[in-house]
Amino acid sequence: MSEKTIALVTGANKGIGYAIAAGLGALGWSVGVGARDEQRGRDAVAKLRAAGTDAFGVPLDVTEGESVAAAARLIAERAGRLDVLVNNAGVAGGRPESPSAIDLETVRRLVETNVIGVIRVTNAMLPLLRGSARPRIVNQSSHVGSLTLQTTPGVDLGGISGAYAPTKTYLNAVTVQYAKELSGTNILVNSACPGYVATDLNGFSGTQTPEQGAAVAIRLATLPDGGPTGRQFDDEGVVPW
């Protein structure tokens, strides 16, 4: 078994996921780069290794059960455990996203990746996380998933979102339930809100860099024992549900 801290970041071949992998690698961790596209995953691993990160590829489509099971086997064979899981992989919907006009297949696609995919990966990795001395789960959420912020007058979250925002709300609810189930263990489970980051998810219209967006996930991945669980955070602190 490796003495290094072992992390898996899903959707880590680009954007915020790549920045999270790079940030964790800078701590001296061994980082699994989860990627649906194997070539893009290999390219990301090569780039991370060139920068000094102990990175390894993990072919991983969060919507496919066998792919997720194979990823768990790969990590088990490589390290025998998993210390940190960052559920970063996600997809956005198209326009329009008003609930009265949205295509239902878009809703299904987003729920499959952004919610069910997180549950699928988390459940597959839990046995490996239980083998860690300091296991952490970080679910990549968004301010748009906050019902409090969505209903606060004057708060601008980018307009109506009939699919993407609700999947993040659903994910937040799932995060709370995992935290409740795992409350008697040393596994900490939290949601991260990276902010409005320029990625291909939003056509690179964001105002923050991927490195800035990765900071909160990295902080939650490195929480000390006895740290918070079942909460949602951004760079400024707790984000209301």
Side-chain angles (χ1 to χ4, degrees):
M1 292 178 62
S2 172
E3 295 303 317
K4 281 190 173 184
T5 299
I6 310 297
L8 170 64
V9 184
T10 68
N13 60 284
K14 60 182 179 178
I16 301 173
Y18 180 88
I20 293 170
L24 297 178
L27 300 175
W29 293 14
S30 181
V31 184
V33 176
R36 181 175 54 183
D37 185 303
E38 290 193 40
Q39 184 57 56
R40 290 180 180 177
R42 286 192 291 268
D43 291 344
V45 167
K47 184 177 177 182
L48 286 165
R49 286 179 176 170
T53 293
D54 179 10
F56 61 97
V58 183
L60 178 56
D61 183 342
V62 303
T63 68
E64 296 291 339
E66 180 48 42
S67 176
V68 173
R73 290 193 297 269
L74 186 155
I75 294 171
E77 292 167 3
R78 181 183 180 90
R81 70 173 196 284
L82 181 64
D83 299 299
V84 172
L85 169 62
V86 182
N87 285 305
N88 169 77
V91 294
R95 297 292 180 180
E97 255 210 35
S98 55
S100 63
I102 197 165
D103 175 47
L104 294 182
E105 287 306 314
T106 297
V107 178
R108 290 188 181 95
R109 178 174 61 86
L110 266 63
V111 171
E112 181 62 45
T113 299
N114 298 353
V115 183
I116 297 174
V118 171
I119 297 171
R120 183 180 289 114
V121 173
T122 300
N123 289 351
M125 300 300 165
L126 268 176
L128 294 168
L129 287 162
R130 293 184 189 278
S132 170
R134 186 172 291 174
R136 306 289 181 259
I137 300 172
V138 182
N139 293 333
Q140 194 73 287
S141 187
S142 169
H143 291 96
V144 302
S146 167
L147 295 178
T148 299
L149 295 180
Q150 285 281 5
T151 54
T152 299
V155 174
D156 181 11
L157 294 177
I160 297 170
S161 173
Y164 179 75
T167 64
K168 294 304 182 179
T169 305
Y170 191 174
L171 177 60
N172 287 343
V174 168
T175 299
V176 169
Q177 298 306 315
Y178 270 116
K180 289 174 66 176
E181 179 182 355
L182 299 170
S183 62
T185 75
N186 60 350
I187 303 176
L188 304 181
V189 189
N190 291 288
S191 290
C193 294
Y196 192 33
V197 177
T199 69
D200 59 2
L201 204 68
N202 54 40
F204 299 96
S205 61
T207 56
Q208 293 178 282
T209 67
E211 290 73 23
Q212 289 172 319
V216 62
I218 293 170
R219 188 171 79 246
L220 295 176
T222 55
L223 283 173
D225 292 339
T229 190
R231 308 293 294 275
Q232 179 176 212
F233 296 88
D234 64 10
D235 285 336
E236 297 181 1
V238 176
V239 176
W241 298 119

